[in-house]
Amino acid sequence: MNKIFLLAFLLFSIGFSVGIFSQAKKIKILSTQISTADQEKYPGATLLIGKVKMQHAGATLDCQRALLYKDKNIFKAIGEVVIEQGDSIIQYSDFAIYNGNSKKATSWGNVEINDKEMKLSTDTLHFDRKNQILYYPNGGTIRDKKNVLKSIRGTYFLKDKKFTAKSKVTVVNPQNALESNHLDYYTNSNLAYLYGASTITNLKDSTQIYCEKGFYNTNTSVAYFVKNAKLFLKERTVLADSLYYDKRNGFASATNNIKVIDTVQKMVTKGNYAELYEKKDSLFIIDKAVAITAIDKDSMYVAGDKILLTGKTNNRIIRVFNNVKIFKSDLQGKCDSIHTSQVSGLTRMFKNPIIWSGENQITGDSIQLKTNKITNKLDSLKILQNAFMIQKDSLSKDDFNQIKGRNMYGKFEENKLKTMLVKGNAESLYYNRNEKSQQLETVTKEIASDIEFTFAENEIIETKYFKLSEGKTFPPSKFPSEEKKFKGFIWRSDEQPLTVEDIFKKDKISNKNIKKDIQKDSNTPISSIKKNDSAVKKAKKQYLKEIK
């Protein structure tokens, strides 16, 4: 019984397979001038000569000569071969082989294929009619209304109008040239999706974009890259985890691990969100924003909640807003906002500014630093209104050398503070120690119209008084304790950024006087001072207002 069932199953299976095979449509001869056979030379073939026309499954095949193998359902065409598939595509070549069973054709010799969206030219082409796929292995060119696409190997999906290449491929139009190792390109929409190392070059100004994964609209010149994104502009290079770029409008936005390199000024700006406006020559960056400038084999870091750069090279304005900190190996600072002009080389610090130069803490209502534009070294310093400089005594934690006045003017040599002139209501208090034993010998307190100090290795080595009105030197034991600190004295060493990493830390403001001053200046509640205002919309609104 089982044997009979097995035999019946095998017969059914064989019959089913034969039925399927027999259902494959046969290639039909529609016309030819001569039909003959040469079994010795072409065994099993019908030789067709002159204006040959064949038909199979909705397609027609024209040529000058052909061999039709009826048993195998194979057609070999020679000379002026034309394959038409309804009204969708038409193909030309010198030679072709077509298998009616698999519905696959291989064409070679001056192959050209057209559909409504594109024209493809190659030397050899494989056409899978069943799956509507074209493939060329030895170099090809696709032309559509917008672009010319070339690659070593390529696959074109007729249904989706999609071209895929995983070898050297270029997409070129009069404005841009795209080079990639792996992309999908849609001929009906002119959109390119990039999956390998890719570069887009603007042919007019040589602007370049690089990525290893992204999207590019060849109609609008809009690109969005999400892996190793790099934008190379004339004077800036932008690197980021993800990058959006609209070439026509000159706008770029970048997200995460951003680095903007000013190739002319040798300045680097970093952050985690940025917007760049080419036509306005401006840059806006937030979220751990920091500007890094090379100064005499050293680097100055300026960090804040927001950084705005506006203006052309050598005429650029740099503005840093909120929670600003500065770090350089021999100079640190802190304030609410900073304004730097590359034209004048002047940097102005606003709202409770403070700088540390060596062992000196310097404060005032406004602090200005000037850089020599030729040498790019620190040149001079201005502390305007309520100028105060404090230096902790080297051997005592409770004693501080102090200089106070209306304004102070300092000069730098080799980026180190060399002289300081106190103008108006000048006061000084410093502790005199024996050079050898470092034993405290005297305490000197002076009041004058102006006082000039000369420094060496951050120590006062010379003092000049102008219009001396009052001064006194005390033995240490006789110096009144209530006079140890001038009015307005605040020691803020806990706020000093000692490393680059410190410029990103939010301070815990502990001194009540500082809190009151900040609240008074900003008219905002104390609770909002600690808040990190990194909201994109608010920052962008302020930025657009600044660059108008």
Side-chain angles (χ1 to χ4, degrees):
M1 183 68 178
N2 290 336
K3 291 182 178 179
I4 294 172
F5 177 80
L6 179 60
L7 178 61
F9 178 78
L10 291 173
L11 290 173
F12 175 79
S13 299
I14 293 170
F16 181 79
S17 299
V18 171
I20 291 296
F21 180 77
S22 65
Q23 288 178 8
K25 292 184 177 181
K26 293 293 184 178
I27 299 172
K28 294 181 180 180
I29 304 172
L30 297 181
S31 65
T32 182
Q33 292 179 335
I34 299 173
S35 177
T36 184
D38 186 344
Q39 293 300 317
E40 184 176 338
K41 191 173 182 179
Y42 305 109
T46 300
L47 179 60
L48 307 172
I49 302 173
K51 296 182 179 180
V52 180
K53 191 177 187 68
M54 315 290 288
Q55 185 186 56
H56 183 263
T60 60
L61 301 90
D62 296 73
C63 63
Q64 291 303 309
R65 299 182 65 187
L67 293 170
L68 175 60
Y69 296 85
K70 293 182 179 179
D71 293 342
K72 297 180 179 179
N73 208 24
I74 292 175
F75 179 83
K76 295 183 179 180
I78 304 170
E80 299 179 19
V81 181
V82 180
I83 300 176
E84 293 186 68
Q85 181 177 274
D87 61 352
S88 60
I89 66 166
I90 182 169
Q91 176 187 314
Y92 306 92
S93 64
D94 295 335
F95 308 94
I97 297 176
Y98 179 73
N99 187 319
N101 295 330
S102 64
K103 297 179 71 174
K104 291 182 179 180
T106 299
S107 307
W108 65 96
N110 301 308
V111 181
E112 182 179 297
I113 189 166
N114 300 306
D115 72 0
K116 295 179 181 179
E117 307 296 340
M118 65 88 193
K119 179 168 75 173
L120 189 158
S121 303
T122 184
D123 179 72
T124 302
L125 182 70
H126 300 279
F127 182 13
D128 182 349
R129 291 190 60 221
K130 184 177 180 180
N131 296 303
Q132 291 294 287
I133 297 173
L134 302 171
Y135 170 73
Y136 58 84
N138 300 316
T141 300
I142 289 180
R143 291 178 171 84
D144 60 23
K145 296 178 181 179
K146 180 69 177 180
N147 300 292
V148 177
L149 185 152
K150 295 182 179 181
S151 69
I152 297 173
R153 294 181 298 277
T155 303
Y156 186 72
F157 299 85
L158 289 165
K159 291 180 180 178
D160 298 327
K161 307 298 182 184
K162 181 179 77 171
F163 168 81
T164 297
K166 295 183 180 180
S167 54
K168 293 182 179 179
V169 55
T170 61
V171 182
V172 179
N173 59 48
Q175 290 78 38
N176 300 291
L178 164 64
E179 297 180 6
S180 180
N181 284 327
H182 183 187
L183 65 70
D184 287 346
Y185 175 78
Y186 290 82
T187 57
N188 57 346
S189 62
N190 309 123
L191 304 180
Y193 294 83
L194 314 173
Y195 302 100
S198 306
T199 301
I200 301 170
T201 303
N202 183 276
L203 301 177
K204 293 183 178 180
D205 62 9
S206 299
T207 298
Q208 281 193 337
I209 320 171
Y210 171 86
C211 82
E212 293 172 13
K213 186 177 182 181
F215 162 83
Y216 175 54
N217 187 329
T218 66
N219 295 314
T220 61
S221 296
V222 170
Y224 179 65
F225 296 155
V226 294
K227 185 178 180 182
N228 293 331
K230 300 175 184 178
L231 172 61
F232 300 92
L233 302 175
K234 186 177 180 181
E235 296 173 350
R236 284 189 176 114
T237 299
V238 183
L239 293 79
D241 286 354
S242 63
L243 177 67
Y244 171 90
Y245 183 51
D246 181 347
K247 176 59 182 176
R248 291 183 182 178
N249 293 313
F251 171 77
S253 65
T255 306
N256 294 333
N257 297 311
I258 301 162
K259 180 187 289 186
V260 182
I261 304 170
D262 188 322
T263 53
V264 177
Q265 293 294 328
K266 296 181 179 180
M267 184 177 75
V268 176
T269 311
K270 295 182 178 182
N272 285 309
Y273 181 81
E275 293 185 3
L276 187 148
Y277 296 78
E278 284 184 271
K279 295 177 182 179
K280 294 180 179 292
D281 288 293
S282 59
L283 170 71
F284 152 80
I285 191 163
I286 63 172
D287 194 3
K288 282 197 171 182
V290 58
I292 308 167
T293 307
I295 299 179
D296 190 32
K297 298 180 181 181
D298 197 358
S299 295
M300 177 176 283
Y301 298 78
V302 181
D305 290 347
K306 297 174 278 287
I307 295 179
L308 314 181
L309 284 78
T310 56
K312 296 183 180 294
T313 301
N314 298 320
N315 192 24
R316 192 159 288 157
I317 300 296
I318 304 167
R319 282 166 284 191
V320 188
F321 295 96
N322 308 123
N323 302 305
V324 178
K325 289 186 179 181
I326 302 169
F327 180 83
K328 190 174 175 291
S329 61
D330 51 9
L331 182 76
Q332 298 83 45
K334 179 185 171 185
C335 62
D336 179 75
S337 59
I338 275 183
H339 182 287
T340 298
S341 169
Q342 290 184 339
V343 175
S344 63
L346 183 65
T347 295
R348 292 180 291 169
M349 303 171 65
F350 302 100
K351 287 190 180 181
N352 297 289
I354 180 172
I355 61 173
W356 294 269
S357 175
E359 300 299 323
N360 302 302
Q361 172 188 293
I362 302 170
T363 58
D365 290 355
S366 175
I367 295 178
Q368 299 180 7
L369 289 163
K370 189 159 188 182
T371 303
N372 187 305
K373 293 189 292 182
I374 298 175
T375 64
N376 208 28
K377 294 180 180 181
L378 288 173
D379 176 76
S380 57
L381 167 71
K382 290 182 181 179
I383 305 100
L384 304 178
Q385 300 300 316
N386 298 310
F388 208 138
M389 186 168 75
I390 305 172
Q391 183 186 84
K392 193 172 185 179
D393 183 64
S394 58
L395 297 178
S396 173
K397 65 178 182 178
D398 297 320
D399 297 331
F400 298 86
N401 298 319
Q402 300 162 61
I403 302 171
K404 184 181 178 183
R406 184 182 302 115
N407 302 314
M408 292 186 189
Y409 304 91
K411 288 291 290 182
F412 290 91
E413 287 186 10
E414 298 300 321
N415 290 315
K416 294 185 182 298
L417 191 61
K418 183 64 177 178
T419 61
M420 179 72 79
L421 175 63
V422 185
K423 293 282 290 182
N425 301 324
E427 299 179 67
S428 70
L429 171 66
Y430 54 93
Y431 293 80
N432 307 298
R433 292 186 176 274
N434 184 284
E435 291 185 6
K436 293 182 179 180
S437 65
Q438 292 298 302
Q439 184 70 29
L440 181 61
E441 295 180 338
T442 59
V443 180
T444 302
K445 186 175 182 180
E446 300 284 357
I447 300 175
S449 173
D450 305 329
I451 306 176
E452 185 180 74
F453 300 89
T454 302
F455 296 86
E457 301 299 326
N458 295 313
E459 296 288 342
I460 297 173
I461 60 172
E462 186 179 353
T463 306
K464 293 181 182 179
Y465 297 92
F466 303 90
K467 299 180 182 179
L468 183 64
S469 59
E470 184 179 339
K472 191 173 182 180
T473 298
F474 300 85
S477 60
K478 299 294 184 180
F479 184 61
S481 60
E482 65 272 14
E483 296 186 23
K484 280 191 171 185
K485 295 178 181 178
F486 288 151
K487 185 179 179 181
F489 176 96
I490 301 174
W491 182 240
R492 298 168 60 182
S493 62
D494 57 337
E495 300 174 47
Q496 182 179 4
L498 301 176
T499 65
V500 174
E501 290 74 20
D502 288 344
I503 63 178
F504 299 109
K505 294 179 181 178
K506 298 301 178 183
D507 292 330
K508 294 181 180 179
I509 304 175
S510 57
N511 189 285
K512 293 181 180 180
N513 292 328
I514 298 176
K515 283 187 178 182
K516 289 179 181 178
D517 289 342
I518 296 175
Q519 187 174 12
K520 181 180 178 181
D521 291 339
S522 62
N523 293 316
T524 55
I526 295 300
S527 59
S528 68
I529 296 171
K530 299 180 182 179
K531 196 171 182 180
N532 178 16
D533 177 23
S534 60
V536 173
K537 290 184 179 179
K538 185 174 181 180
K540 183 177 179 179
K541 183 178 180 181
Q542 181 178 0
Y543 168 67
L544 293 174
K545 181 180 178 181
E546 291 287 345
I547 64 175
K548 282 184 180 180

